[in-house]
C-alpha cells in the first residue's frame, strides 16, 4: 500500500481536520464526525442533511455549502456514519423550517438514518427523507428501489439545495428532491481497484487488460467483466443502457455528468464527453451545464461514470441557480 497518511485509524479524522483548517469560513466540525456550514443553520430555511462513508470526495461532505447541503454525518472509508452523528447532523441543520435527510441507497446509511429519525420523532422537528438510487447496474428497473446511489446524487443535492435556498417548504424541497431522483440515471466502469487505508489491500482484483462495466463506487460487482474497449464503444454502451429509461425526445434537455472515480484524468473524461455530445446532438437533445471532473470518487480507483438527468423548466432552473462550496461554484 502506498498512501499519504499517518496511522490508518486516524485517516478520516485527520482528513476532516485538514479540511476545516483549509476552509475555515465554510466548514465547522460539530461533535465527533459532523461537518456543518460555518455559522450554523440558516434561520427559516429548510435544512438538508446527507451522510455516508469517506473516500468519495467531494461526495458527501464536500457539498456542504450555500445552495447545497447544510450538514453531513461522516463515516469511515466506505462505511456508513454512526447513528449519533446522523442525529447531530440533523440538529445542526435545523433552522426552524424542517430538515430533509438526502442520502445514497445503501444498507448502513438507511439503517442509521432511520434510527436517527426514530430518535427525533418526539423532538417536534418536521423531518422527511429521500434516498438516491440512480445506478442502473445495481438492479432492474422493476426493482428500482434496490438501486444504489452513485454520482447522480450530486445533481440531486444541487436541485434540492437550490429549492431550499429559494425558500421552499419542507414539502416542496422533498418533492423536488424525489423528482430529481426519479429522473436521474447513472452507470460506471472501473479499470483498477482502490485501497481502503484500514485494510491495506485492494478492494478487488482485476487483470491489467480487463475492465468491470457497471461496478459500484465501493467495488460492488458490475454487469460484465472483459477486455478494455475504446472510449467511444464504452460511452455508446453506457448510453444504450441509460437512454431507454429516460424517454428523451428531440428538443428535450438533460443534465450530463462525466465523473472521474478518482485516478482517471480530465483529458480522458473530455474524450468521453465529446462522444456523449455527439450522440445527444444526433438525437436533437440539448446538454445543459455539463459537468466533467471529479464529483464523486472511489479513492484512487481508475474509471468513470456517466449520469443523465432529463430537465423540465423547474429542474433546469434549480440546477443553474447559484451555489457555493469549496469544491463547486455555480
Amino acid at each position: 500500500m502506498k498512501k499519504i497518511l499517518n496511522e490508518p485509524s486516524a485517516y478520516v479524522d485527520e482528513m476532516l481536520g485538514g479540511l476545516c483548517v483549509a476552509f475555515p469560513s465554510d466548514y465547522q466540525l460539530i461533535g465527533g464526525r459532523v461537518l456543518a456550514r460555518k455559522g450554523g443553520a440558516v434561520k427559516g430555511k429548510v435544512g438538508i442533511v446527507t451522510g455516508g462513508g469517506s473516500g468519495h470526495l467531494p461526495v458527501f461532505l464536500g457539498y456542504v455549502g450555500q445552495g447545497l447541503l447544510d450538514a453531513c454525518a461522516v463515516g469511515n472509508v466506505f462505511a456508513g456514519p454512526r447513528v449519533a452523528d446522523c442525529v447531530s447532523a440533523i440538529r445542526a441543520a435545523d433552522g426552524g423550517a424542517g430538515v430533509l435527510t438526502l442520502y445514497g441507497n445503501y444498507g448502513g446509511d438507511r439503517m442509521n438514518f432511520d434510527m436517527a429519525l426514530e430518535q427525533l420523532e418526539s423532538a417536534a422537528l418536521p423531518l422527511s427523507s429521500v434516498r438516491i438510487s440512480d445506478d442502473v447496474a445495481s438492479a432492474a428497473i422493476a426493482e428500482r428501489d434496490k438501486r444504489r446511489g452513485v454520482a447522480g446524487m450530486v445533481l440531486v443535492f444541487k436541485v434540492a439545495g437550490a429549492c431550499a435556498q429559494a425558500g421552499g417548504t419542507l414539502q416542496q424541497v422533498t418533492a423536488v428532491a424525489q423528482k430529481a431522483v426519479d429522473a436521474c440515471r447513472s452507470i460506471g466502469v472501473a479499470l483498477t481497484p482502490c485501497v481502503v487505508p484500514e485494510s491495506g489491500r485492494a478492494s478487488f482484483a482485476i487483470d491489467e487488460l480487463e475492465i468491470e462495466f457497471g461496478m459500484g463506487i465501493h467495488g460492488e460487482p458490475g454487469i460484465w467483466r472483459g477486455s478494455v474497449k475504446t472510449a467511444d464503444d464504452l460511452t455508446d454502451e453506457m448510453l444504450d443502457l441509460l437512454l431507454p429509461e429516460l424517454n428523451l425526445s428531440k428538443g428535450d434537455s438533460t443534465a450530463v455528468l462525466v465523473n472521474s472515480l478518482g485516478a482517471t484524468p480530465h483529458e480522458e473524461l473530455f474524450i468521453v464527453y465529446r462522444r456523449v455530445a455527439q450522440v445527444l446532438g444526433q438525437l436533437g437533445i440539448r446538454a445543459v451545464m455539463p459537468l466533467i471532473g471529479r464529483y464523486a470518487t472511489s479513492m484512487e480507483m481508475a474509471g468513470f461514470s456517466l449520469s443523465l438527468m432529463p430537465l423540465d423548466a423547474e429542474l433546469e432552473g434549480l440546477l443553474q441557480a447559484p451555489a457555493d462550496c469549496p469544491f463547486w461554484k455555480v
Side-chain angles (χ1 to χ4, degrees):
M1 178 178 72
K2 294 181 180 179
K3 284 192 175 293
I4 309 300
L5 50 71
N6 294 306
E7 292 297 325
S9 60
Y11 187 85
V12 173
D13 294 312
E14 291 184 347
M15 174 273 295
L16 287 171
L19 192 68
C20 291
V21 170
F23 303 107
S25 62
D26 296 285
Y27 296 136
Q28 61 177 337
L29 274 177
I30 297 175
R33 287 186 178 173
V34 175
L35 193 77
R37 289 174 62 168
K38 191 64 176 283
V42 179
K43 186 176 181 180
K45 186 187 81 69
V46 170
I48 304 178
V49 168
T50 195
S54 299
H56 302 298
L57 271 172
V59 164
F60 299 85
L61 60 162
Y63 296 111
V64 170
Q66 183 178 352
L68 291 159
L69 307 172
D70 294 280
C72 177
V74 182
N76 284 328
V77 175
F78 294 1
R82 297 172 295 198
V83 176
D85 288 333
C86 294
V87 171
S88 295
I90 293 169
R91 291 191 182 279
D94 176 19
V99 176
L100 166 66
T101 59
L102 183 60
Y103 55 92
N105 190 27
Y106 293 92
D109 298 346
R110 289 197 310 266
M111 179 179 67
N112 290 352
F113 269 108
D114 284 349
M115 292 175 66
L117 293 173
E118 288 178 7
Q119 290 186 24
L120 291 167
E121 280 181 345
S122 61
L125 170 60
L127 299 169
S128 64
S129 184
V130 173
R131 298 171 183 168
I132 304 166
S133 53
D134 55 305
D135 185 3
V136 302
S138 52
I141 185 64
E143 297 183 301
R144 186 150 184 249
D145 61 325
K146 296 181 180 179
R147 286 180 171 175
R148 301 180 290 250
V150 287
M153 68 179 68
V154 175
L155 301 173
V156 181
F157 290 164
K158 178 65 183 68
V159 165
C163 184
Q165 189 73 28
T169 65
L170 179 60
Q171 183 178 10
Q172 290 169 331
V173 175
T174 303
V176 82
Q178 188 63 60
K179 180 179 180 179
V181 169
D182 292 342
C184 192
R185 302 289 190 277
S186 300
I187 183 73
V189 60
L191 283 66
T192 68
C194 61
V195 175
V196 176
E198 290 185 346
S199 73
R201 57 180 181 273
S203 53
F204 61 92
I206 189 168
D207 289 343
E208 185 176 350
L209 297 179
E210 283 188 327
I211 59 173
E212 180 100 12
F213 187 86
M215 175 164 280
I217 58 174
H218 305 109
E220 298 95 337
I223 298 172
W224 58 261
R225 177 177 291 198
S227 299
V228 175
K229 295 185 176 183
T230 66
D232 284 1
D233 285 345
L234 279 175
T235 304
D236 287 348
E237 186 166 352
M238 289 176 157
L239 290 169
D240 286 344
L241 283 174
L242 299 178
L243 290 173
E245 291 198 16
L246 298 177
N247 298 315
L248 283 162
S249 302
K250 185 176 181 179
D252 288 344
S253 300
T254 185
V256 180
L257 169 58
V258 181
N259 170 63
S260 171
L261 291 175
T264 296
H266 281 74
E267 288 86 346
E268 294 171 28
L269 302 180
F270 281 110
I271 292 172
V272 171
Y273 181 70
R274 159 197 152 276
R275 181 58 178 170
V276 172
Q278 286 176 350
V279 174
L280 293 181
Q282 290 165 4
L283 296 172
I285 297 167
R286 182 173 66 105
V288 174
M289 205 176 84
L291 305 173
I292 298 99
R294 292 181 178 89
Y295 288 86
T297 64
S298 183
M299 299 293 288
E300 74 277 26
M301 185 183 291
F304 74 96
S305 63
L306 173 61
S307 302
L308 299 179
M309 185 176 73
L311 301 171
D312 60 10
E314 179 185 37
L315 291 179
E316 182 170 343
L318 293 170
L319 181 66
Q320 295 182 319
D324 191 8
C325 71
F327 294 91
W328 188 20
K329 185 173 184 176
V330 180

